[in-house]
Amino acid sequence: MLIDRTDGTNPPAAALLQPGDLVLFNADSGDDNPTVTVDHVGICLGRDTTGRRRFLSSRKTVNGPTMSDLGGASVLDGTGTYAKKLHTVHRV
């Protein structure tokens, strides 16, 4: 079920996220159409001990799934890379 998606300017509302939600990103800044393109997927894990919404995803490196902050903090709220590039939220 679609929960929220970008309007082309603003990311979906992080307040709507629940653990287990699929989070889709347009993380490649070279894409021509930010309202359509999705190039990265993760799973929302919920809030960490500091209250930040965290997600698990795969990386472009061979190391596989991670919560690592390589390429940007793995948080879904605030002003970090993935918080700003969040495109769509789906609930299964």
Side-chain angles (χ1 to χ4, degrees), residues 11-71:
L16 299 174
L17 292 167
Q18 293 182 8
D21 284 350
L22 298 177
V23 287
L24 291 76
F25 302 90
N26 180 1
D28 183 359
S29 60
D31 294 335
D32 292 334
N33 192 340
T35 61
V36 177
T37 305
V38 169
D39 55 28
H40 192 74
V41 177
I43 298 172
C44 180
L45 298 175
R47 293 181 182 267
D48 64 14
T49 56
T50 65
R52 296 178 301 170
R53 293 171 180 89
R54 303 285 296 194
F55 70 97
L56 179 71
S57 68
S58 62
R59 303 191 291 201
K60 292 181 179 181
T61 63
V62 297
N63 298 10
T66 184
M67 282 179 48
S68 169
D69 292 338
L70 176 69

